[in-house]
Amino acid sequence: MLHGVIYTAVALLLLTYVGNVICRLIFKITGLTAATAQLPAPDYRAGRVIGILERLILAAGILLHSWEILAAVIALKTVARFQKMDQREFAEYFLVGSMFSILWTLTVTGVWSAYDQHFGVDLRHMIFRLPDIQVTR
């Protein structure tokens, strides 16, 4: 069981803090860091927290096979930032950050799930108690 806790903790660390570091690096490489330069520090930090929460919610949706959660998160983010989407630089910043979060979450959660199923203790089924779907012909 300790093994399961360790690889799950690594996956959560990758999803949250490592995800933020990579996202900031992508913004720096693409030159989109300037899109947040005018924001006060609390707003900038709020974006990091939003990114962490977004990736955790997306991961839960993936693990539960609830794709509606992905659509809901994207819709919620878009509605919350709709007025700023007319600003080209902000729109690019928003899209790059959102697409990175989705891709990163799919990757980390997929690798975690595969590792858990093949080498781990199958925590996903233990935690969510999802029944195996039997296809009968």
Side-chain angles (χ1 to χ4, degrees):
M1 188 63 153
L2 178 62
H3 177 234
V5 171
I6 291 171
Y7 66 78
T8 299
V10 168
L12 290 172
L13 183 68
L14 286 170
L15 274 174
T16 56
Y17 297 105
V18 174
N20 277 351
V21 169
I22 295 172
C23 194
R24 285 194 308 264
L25 180 63
I26 289 171
F27 288 147
K28 189 174 185 176
I29 290 170
T30 59
L32 292 172
T33 305
T36 59
Q38 76 280 4
L39 293 176
D43 289 344
Y44 186 62
R45 282 190 294 255
R48 290 180 185 174
V49 172
I50 290 168
I52 287 172
L53 293 173
E54 172 187 351
R55 288 187 293 276
L56 290 173
I57 292 168
L58 291 173
I62 293 166
L63 291 172
L64 291 170
H65 296 262
S66 179
W67 303 108
E68 302 84 20
I69 291 176
L70 276 75
V73 167
I74 294 167
L76 179 65
K77 283 184 66 176
T78 303
V79 168
R81 301 292 187 159
F82 184 73
Q83 290 180 345
K84 287 185 152 188
M85 294 303 265
D86 288 338
Q87 301 169 6
R88 182 177 173 258
E89 190 173 77
F90 178 81
E92 289 174 351
Y93 172 84
F94 176 82
L95 288 172
V96 167
S98 295
M99 295 299 111
F100 166 76
S101 275
I102 293 167
L103 180 62
W104 184 249
T105 303
L106 284 169
T107 302
V108 171
T109 306
V111 170
W112 176 87
S113 186
Y115 184 92
D116 180 51
Q117 186 176 5
H118 295 288
F119 304 108
V121 294
D122 208 9
L123 279 174
R124 182 176 161 272
H125 280 89
M126 287 173 44
I127 292 170
F128 296 114
R129 300 197 190 286
L130 295 174
D132 289 330
I133 298 171
Q134 300 287 328
V135 177
T136 56
R137 292 183 187 225

